[in-house]
Amino acid sequence: MTRYIIKHFIIVLLISLVITSSITFVLFSFKQVDNTKERLIYDVQLIDYALNNKKDFNKQIDKLSPLSSIDNSRISIIDKQGKVIADTYGIHQGKDHLNREEVKEALKSKDHTGFAIRNSSTINEREMYAAYYDGQYIVRLSIPYNGIGIFLPLMIPSLALSFTIAFIVAVIIARLLAKRISQPLTEISESLNNMTDDYRFSVHKYPHEEYNNIVATIEKLSHRLRKSMRETQFEQNKIDLIIRRMNEGFILLDEKKRVLSINKSAKKIVGPLHEKDDFKDIKLEALRDALHSPEEKIRVKLKLNNRYYKCYVSKFPFGTALFFVDITAAKNAEKMREDFFSSVSHELKTPITSIRGYSELLSEGVVTDPSLQHDMLEKIQKQVDNMSNLINDILLLSRFDNDDIVVERVPVNMKSTVEDIVSSYESLCLKEEITIHKEVEDINIMFHPQQMANLLSNLISNAIKYNHPGGLVNVNVYKNEDDLFIEVSDTGIGIPQEDQNRVFERFYRVDKGRSRMKGGTGLGLAIVKHIVSFNKGKLTLTSTPEVGTTITIRFPNI
């Protein structure tokens, strides 16, 4: 900026000097012309005074011409009629000069003088003329005149000196002025360069209001920038927090396929990647193909570590975003539905086949013995009951799955409820030679009566069905502080360790033949698990083959 100011300051100065010098030169030239005019008139009057009318004018003017103060001067004597009677050049003698401008002016003016600048027809050069009329004749003096340029040599030394002094002074002043003007801007620039991370800077006040206005404007912009950065940082922190904490995996790549951002969930899926790592080296071929695909939006299905993911790849001008969604639960649910319908079809097929067979025998009259007919009808009724129980259990589980359970909690007496369930299984206990031992506290809890009945019925019926003849079933219900505990144990066949995690699955049976023989649907423990989960309880199973099984349920804050 200093050079800019000095440069333009000098240019303005030079232009000013040229204009000033030109005006000065013109004014000086006109002044010199006036001075020359006065001198010529004075010289012509002296010549007139020195002339003698009685002597030869030609001889006199020849002698007087060298005495003129101006070189190359010409003297002419003209009478009243304008006739040239004497001339230093001698070529115009006798000619009429009455129409000459200076002659006419001398004849008419009050001071009898005349002046003119014009081209001489005698020598064909521009001349300056001065004439004086003394009453008898006119004395005219002329000198060569080449315009105001003749005075330029007189002014060159002074103009050169003035230019030099003015230029030196201008450079000094310009440098001082430029430094004074640019110094505040330099200080402001240094303060901005030393700005803190939160865009704060320190600048003192200046004597010129313009600089203070600049500083005030920058401070306002700095304040807005700080506010904008805080808002941007706040929004960025929210986005980063959401990305870090969400269960879905998220990866953002730049245009060179380098990692810009990655959350923990994505690292668990694709491996330990970090920011600025090259994602093109990823070992997952499906993802590499998606990144090189010209399509802007792609969905890729992946199976990693026995889990299923759906990756949504979106391409932008600045990079690529990958969004991983764990669809393992959906896959398992789909498989579970397929297994469920397959199991339902299988479970319904057996009683339907049995019912069809017995009904065909009866309808075709193959069996005529009344006792056999009655026996077949009882078996048909039993299969119908099994189908009814199976359908009811399926409908109940479906309502749990769809969260279509409306619960009305009422006080439920645990002692009477257990006794009712146990009494309903007396005939089965006698048949299987099973003894049920009850230790139930006389307590009331807020619960859904039918859910509690289903839970206890399934636990007790399983303990009876999968017990040894002469075995024992223990039913304990007690309260510990605010938690209700239900414990049903048996001395039956037990459950192998490898099956214990699956016995609560639908239609899963450890001993399929025994289950069907006992009339079980394979859904009892699944219903128990859903009732416990629905009421925010906790279920524990311990079992030893050929020793027995114990199922403990805890309902908190009952």
Side-chain angles (χ1 to χ4, degrees), residues 490-509:
D490 61 62
T491 58
I493 62 175
I495 302 172
Q497 183 67 36
E498 62 272 13
D499 294 321
Q500 291 182 13
N501 291 330
R502 300 193 61 189
V503 292
F504 295 99
E505 296 179 8
R506 303 173 189 187
F507 298 112
Y508 186 83
R509 295 182 176 93

Side-chain angles (χ1 to χ4, degrees), residues 290-350:
L291 293 178
H292 291 93
S293 173
E295 298 182 28
E296 292 184 355
K297 293 185 178 181
I298 307 171
R299 285 186 297 178
V300 180
K301 291 184 178 180
L302 303 171
K303 183 180 180 182
L304 302 170
N305 302 323
N306 296 323
R307 299 195 69 81
Y308 296 90
Y309 299 94
K310 186 177 287 185
C311 178
Y312 297 86
V313 181
S314 300
K315 298 180 180 180
F316 305 98
F318 58 83
T320 305
L322 294 90
F323 190 73
F324 297 85
V325 179
D326 191 338
I327 59 172
T328 304
K331 275 281 187 181
N332 291 339
E334 183 180 354
K335 186 176 183 302
M336 187 181 296
R337 282 194 300 270
E338 293 175 355
D339 293 342
F340 176 75
F341 286 117
S342 176
S343 299
V344 168
S345 300
H346 181 74
E347 294 295 333
L348 289 175
K349 184 178 180 180
T350 300

Side-chain angles (χ1 to χ4, degrees), residues 190-201 218 222 225:
E190 291 177 352
S191 298
L192 293 177
N193 288 331
N194 296 325
M195 187 182 295
T196 60
D197 293 337
D198 60 345
Y199 302 100
R200 297 182 184 276
F201 64 97
I218 295 176
S222 174
L225 186 58

Side-chain angles (χ1 to χ4, degrees), residues 213-231:
N213 291 336
I214 293 174
V215 173
T217 302
I218 295 176
E219 287 178 343
K220 290 180 181 178
L221 292 176
S222 174
H223 177 71
R224 292 180 183 175
L225 186 58
R226 287 197 301 274
K227 183 179 178 182
S228 176
M229 289 299 296
R230 284 196 300 268
E231 293 175 352

Side-chain angles (χ1 to χ4, degrees), residues 52-206:
N52 188 345
N53 296 338
K54 296 179 180 181
K55 294 183 180 180
D56 186 2
F57 282 124
N58 285 318
K59 293 181 179 181
Q60 293 183 72
I61 61 177
D62 287 339
K63 292 180 179 179
L64 292 174
S65 181
L67 299 177
S68 175
S69 60
I70 302 175
D71 297 334
N72 299 322
S73 61
R74 173 187 170 194
I75 301 172
S76 301
I77 307 298
I78 305 169
D79 61 14
K80 294 180 180 180
Q81 289 74 31
K83 182 179 179 181
V84 179
I85 58 178
D87 189 273
T88 52
Y89 286 4
I91 57 176
H92 281 291
Q93 284 187 221
K95 292 187 177 181
D96 185 7
H97 278 30
L98 189 61
N99 62 345
R100 299 294 193 270
E101 183 180 348
E102 68 278 2
V103 175
K104 289 191 293 182
E105 187 179 351
L107 293 173
K108 293 179 180 180
S109 64
K110 293 180 180 181
D111 59 355
H112 304 295
T113 59
F115 183 80
I117 298 175
R118 55 184 176 80
N119 287 330
S120 173
S121 59
T122 303
I123 60 176
N124 196 25
E125 291 181 358
R126 193 166 181 78
E127 296 279 317
M128 183 182 290
Y129 296 91
Y132 177 71
Y133 175 54
D134 61 0
Q136 297 181 358
Y137 48 84
I138 300 166
V139 179
R140 187 183 68 177
L141 178 64
S142 66
I143 60 173
Y145 179 70
N146 295 322
I148 61 176
I150 61 176
F151 305 112
L152 183 59
L154 300 176
M155 296 189 65
I156 287 178
S158 58
L159 289 176
L161 180 61
S162 300
F163 263 71
T164 303
I165 295 174
F167 183 81
I168 295 173
V169 173
V171 170
I172 296 173
I173 295 175
R175 289 182 64 87
L176 294 175
L177 181 62
K179 183 177 180 181
R180 186 172 182 180
I181 292 174
S182 62
Q183 183 63 30
L185 297 178
T186 303
E187 293 177 356
I188 295 173
S189 177
E190 291 177 352
S191 298
L192 293 177
N193 288 331
N194 296 325
M195 187 182 295
T196 60
D197 293 337
D198 60 345
Y199 302 100
R200 297 182 184 276
F201 64 97
S202 176
V203 179
H204 59 77
K205 294 290 184 180
Y206 294 100

